[in-house]
Amino acid sequence: MKPYIFITRKLPENVISKLDNRYTISMWDKEDVPVPRQRLLDEAQKADALLTMLSDSIDEEVIKAGSNLKVIANLAVGFDNIDLAAATEHGIAVCNTPDVLTDTTADLTFGLLMATARRLVEAAEFVKEGKWQSWSPLLLAGHDIHHKTIGIVGMGKIGETVAKRATGFDMEILYHNRTRKPEVEEAIGAQYVSFDELVKRSDFIVCLTPLTHETRNLFTADVFASMKRSAIFINASRGPVVDEEALLAALKNNTIAGAGLDVFTIEPISADHPLLTLPNVVALPHIGSSSVETRETMMELCLENIDKVLTGNDPITVVNKDWKLQLSH
């Protein structure tokens, strides 16, 4: 029998057809609806490999159900939806898709910053709704981006690439990261500062940090209160790094000037969420890496990782590098 791969969301046939002759492949047939929990558990029981989405909870129950499971390939850089310890304990490789989405996500992040600062979404709707009756000096006046200070929280590959974009706008670049990046400082003139200093000095605070125990609720009411009243907060990392109630209050009270959000604590966000009622919020449906070219490259990398593991080779981008240790016991 051919090894069995289950994919938790419908992917283009041209992407998966390359492996059709060597594997039995099944997909959840909906593009915009998550696979039901019971179906996921049932598929895990017979699968040799799972190709998962960030919205799938691959917890210990799913992993224990997968008695034949050898690899989980997550269609994302992040992997906080997967119980990494349980996967490692069961000798299952967990793979992600770093690097291939760096430029695309940096483009979206900087685009979100620009849209929020210059009120582009609000202005486009203003025209479409027939509200544009005349020109006036401060009609939908936003905030300049050029020559301002950008503070990047989380200077990984995406953070570095956003910083490169900022050099084209002659911005002062501050960053805070678990580890200092001297090579980035030298290459683009970025300045390493404490988290508190970054928050106080920056005109634009861009969050690109991964979700960990340390970063959960990193942005609290006290943090927003420390920002400039003209500051704009951008989050393109993970929703739970922000206390959303504190962010809502800061925006309502004009503690900060605006927010551009590609991620939320609970996704998809409800249409009646109070954040969506505010004119100084630009909200996107978690599309950081969503270009046709990049998403197809991510899918291909997931399938390549699966193929490598199922043919007895090392995957290209493995997260739990000690997964093989359990196989020898």
Side-chain angles (χ1 to χ4, degrees), residues 206-222:
V206 179
C207 180
L208 290 164
T209 185
L211 178 62
T212 65
H213 292 302
E214 292 77 22
T215 63
R216 186 176 291 274
N217 282 330
L218 177 64
F219 288 90
T220 61
D222 287 344

Side-chain angles (χ1 to χ4, degrees), residues 16-329:
I16 65 167
S17 61
K18 299 165 189 173
L19 295 183
D20 271 350
N21 59 333
R22 283 182 284 157
Y23 301 102
T24 300
I25 300 175
S26 177
M27 286 188 292
W28 172 239
D29 59 359
K30 303 286 193 300
E31 289 182 8
D32 54 357
V33 177
V35 61
R37 177 71 177 180
Q38 192 54 54
R39 173 73 185 275
L40 177 61
L41 288 167
D42 292 344
E43 293 291 351
Q45 286 180 356
K46 54 187 179 181
D48 296 278
L50 293 175
L51 196 163
T52 58
M53 309 297 127
L54 192 62
S55 53
D56 300 318
S57 176
I58 311 301
D59 55 15
E60 189 173 16
E61 185 184 19
V62 175
I63 288 164
K64 280 186 172 177
S67 54
N68 298 320
L69 201 54
K70 300 172 186 67
V71 55
I72 300 164
N74 212 38
L75 192 79
V77 173
F79 44 87
D80 45 271
N81 58 311
I82 299 172
D83 187 330
L84 204 59
T88 304
E89 185 184 336
H90 288 79
I92 300 166
V94 175
C95 305
N96 63 342
T97 58
D99 303 332
V100 297
L101 49 66
T102 298
D103 280 298
T104 301
T105 306
D107 286 350
L108 185 283
T109 303
F110 211 88
L112 182 55
L113 182 155
M114 294 177 70
T116 309
R118 295 300 305 273
R119 302 172 68 181
L120 298 185
V121 176
E122 196 181 349
E125 291 305 312
F126 187 84
V127 174
K128 287 183 178 180
E129 291 167 7
K131 294 178 180 176
W132 187 23
Q133 302 301 315
S134 66
W135 186 90
S136 63
L138 289 175
L139 176 65
L140 289 158
H143 297 262
D144 279 335
I145 301 158
H146 62 86
H147 297 95
K148 293 290 185 72
T149 299
I150 184 172
I152 300 171
V153 180
M155 193 61 116
K157 291 283 180 65
I158 296 169
E160 291 176 25
T161 310
V162 168
K164 272 193 220 170
R165 307 288 188 269
T167 62
F169 287 77
D170 296 313
M171 301 182 85
E172 180 183 17
I173 302 165
L174 309 179
Y175 79 96
H176 181 73
N177 199 52
R178 281 180 302 181
T179 54
R180 194 164 174 173
K181 300 283 187 76
E183 69 283 1
V184 178
E185 295 172 28
E186 187 176 344
I188 58 177
Q191 181 185 350
Y192 178 82
V193 294
S194 69
F195 179 70
D196 289 344
E197 184 178 350
L198 181 147
V199 164
K200 287 173 183 169
R201 286 177 56 188
S202 299
D203 299 297
F204 298 92
I205 295 96
V206 179
C207 180
L208 290 164
T209 185
L211 178 62
T212 65
H213 292 302
E214 292 77 22
T215 63
R216 186 176 291 274
N217 282 330
L218 177 64
F219 288 90
T220 61
D222 287 344
V223 171
F224 289 118
S226 298
M227 294 179 185
K228 297 178 180 180
R229 289 184 74 84
S230 58
I232 288 173
F233 176 69
I234 305 295
N235 189 9
S237 59
R238 290 290 179 267
V241 301
V242 179
D243 178 340
E244 267 182 14
E245 289 297 320
L247 174 60
L248 178 64
L251 291 163
K252 275 186 168 180
N253 300 331
N254 297 314
T255 304
I256 63 172
L261 309 169
D262 187 40
V263 290
F264 301 89
T265 300
I266 297 173
E267 296 179 0
I269 190 172
S270 167
D272 60 0
H273 194 290
L275 276 171
L276 303 186
T277 67
L278 302 179
N280 55 346
V281 171
V282 176
L284 303 180
H286 203 148
I287 56 169
S289 62
S290 189
S291 70
V292 172
E293 300 92 335
T294 293
R295 285 286 168 88
E296 288 202 354
T297 303
M298 291 166 68
M299 294 169 195
E300 287 165 358
L301 177 55
C302 282
L303 290 168
E304 198 169 351
N305 277 323
I306 287 171
D307 184 47
K308 291 277 189 190
V309 174
L310 295 186
T311 53
N313 297 297
D314 290 335
I316 302 161
T317 53
V318 65
V319 176
N320 54 342
K321 299 189 186 299
D322 52 349
W323 68 282
K324 272 189 172 180
L325 296 177
Q326 298 301 321
L327 299 176
S328 57
H329 294 318

